[in-house]
Each structure stands twice: as C-alpha cells, then as structure tokens.
Amino acid sequence: MPRLAVYALVVCLLAVAAAVVSFVEGSVLIGVVWILLAGLSSNMTWYYIRRSRTSRPDSLATN
C-alpha cells in the first residue's frame, strides 16, 4: 500500500473517532464536519490505492 494511502487511511480513522466523540458530547455540527472529512480522506485512500495499481506495470504482460 502506498505511503499516501496509509496516511489518508489514518486521517480517515481519526476523523471517524473525532466524529463519534463530537456526537457523544452533543456537538452535532462539528460531528458532521468530521464525517465530511472522513469521507474525503476515504476517497483519497481509494484514489491512491487505485493509482498505484494502475501505474504498476503488469509483470506477465511485459514478459
């Protein structure tokens, strides 16, 4: 897994944890912001994973 994908995944997990804490404490607006950040970082994780898979040359096709 590429390093940027790992970083984005860590941000996603931390944002979800922050959203849970915000909702438990009763701050709905801040919780929604954390959920949006988690969604963005999740999409970034998938993007970096897919980009690394498509940019990697297929070893069977080149031989």
Side-chain angles (χ1 to χ4, degrees):
M1 187 181 290
R3 187 180 341 173
L4 287 174
V6 173
Y7 292 156
L9 182 62
V10 168
V11 169
C12 180
L13 294 175
L14 289 174
V16 169
V20 169
V21 169
S22 295
F23 284 127
V24 166
E25 290 183 355
S27 180
V28 176
L29 183 61
I30 301 298
V32 169
V33 171
W34 283 116
I35 290 293
L36 292 174
L37 183 64
L40 176 68
S41 60
S42 171
N43 287 339
M44 289 173 60
T45 302
W46 285 115
Y47 171 76
Y48 288 128
I49 289 173
R50 270 192 312 193
R51 190 177 82 170
S52 72
R53 286 182 185 168
T54 57
S55 68
R56 188 175 6 171
D58 191 23
S59 61
L60 295 176
T62 58
N63 290 335

